[in-house]
Amino acid sequence: MTSTKQLNKITLKGSAAIVSEFFFYGINNILYQRGVYPPEMFKQEKKYGLTILVTTDEGLLTYLKDNILPQLTAIVCNLTEWLEKGAVRRLVVVIRESETNETLERWQFEIQSDEEQKNSNNPPKPKDVNTINSEIRAVIRQITATVTFLPLLETPCSFDLLFYTDKNLEAPSQWEDSSACLITNSEEVKLRSFSTSVHRVDGAVSYKFSM
């Protein structure tokens, strides 16, 4: 019994891979559900016990897999040390109106290390992969359900990814400084959270409210 528990224990490296993979599928789901790219640019994949739409556009896939995910994996792998220094805390998906560059939606995901969780009201508990996948499945389902209340995006849109990092962090050369892309007088909805017992991810979406 003891050896089984050891085999199921989530390591820092394993947690980084889980969080990184969630962001890949989560970002794809947001882009599909919000119509940032046309539906024909996505294909169905089975993940977390769900059918998730993943882009088939080579340019977007290259951007996510070659530029974003390796950077994200590096961030999460070093998260414990960097969080102690306040170096990185969140990832934000910003959806803008293409013509005006106005921010219409802001999907924010806070990342906590196990040390931060121990000092909060939600101390981490050991989890197996099935439990983690169940929590991630609930988050993905909630992202899918947001189409029932988020305003329809009626104009062509683009997206940006923001990483909140310490100014002294040596960032990749292709990164650029950005504003927070906040939305004035926005509405906000909290998303479900998931945790690997090494990292915890809390999400929320804020959006421009139109009367």
Side-chain angles (χ1 to χ4, degrees), residues 71-208:
Q71 295 166 18
L72 179 61
T73 301
I75 285 174
V76 179
C77 284
N78 293 283
L79 198 58
T80 302
E81 177 185 351
W82 289 359
L83 279 172
E84 289 176 357
K85 301 176 181 179
V88 60
R89 292 184 178 276
R90 68 178 67 101
L91 179 149
V92 179
V93 181
V94 176
I95 297 180
R96 308 173 185 265
E97 185 176 354
S98 296
E99 186 175 343
T100 65
N101 217 32
E102 179 185 11
T103 301
L104 302 179
E105 291 178 9
R106 193 174 185 276
W107 298 76
Q108 179 168 298
F109 296 93
E110 302 281 347
I111 308 169
Q112 284 188 318
S113 70
D114 54 353
E115 287 301 317
E116 285 193 325
Q117 294 175 70
K118 288 175 183 176
N119 296 327
S120 71
N121 295 324
N122 298 302
K125 298 178 181 179
K127 290 183 179 179
D128 60 26
V129 173
N130 288 335
T131 301
I132 297 167
N133 284 344
S134 177
E135 291 183 359
I136 293 176
R137 183 162 59 245
V139 178
I140 296 290
R141 281 176 169 160
Q142 191 177 19
I143 291 173
T144 301
T146 58
V147 296
T148 62
F149 64 83
L150 288 176
L152 183 65
L153 299 177
E154 299 180 304
T155 58
C157 293
S158 60
F159 83 101
D160 287 313
L161 294 181
L162 308 182
F163 291 96
Y164 277 66
T165 65
D166 185 81
K167 291 182 179 179
N168 297 322
L169 182 67
E170 186 175 345
S173 59
Q174 60 267 44
W175 285 20
E176 298 177 357
D177 289 336
S178 170
S179 67
C181 302
L182 299 176
I183 304 171
T184 304
N185 299 323
S186 65
E187 296 286 328
E188 182 177 282
V189 175
K190 295 289 186 183
L191 301 176
R192 293 177 181 271
S193 62
F194 76 89
S195 119
T196 65
S197 75
V198 178
H199 300 107
R200 176 184 172 90
V201 177
D202 294 280
V205 55
S206 56
Y207 56 96
K208 182 179 180 182

Side-chain angles (χ1 to χ4, degrees), residues 9 51 54 204:
K9 184 178 179 181
T51 299
V54 178

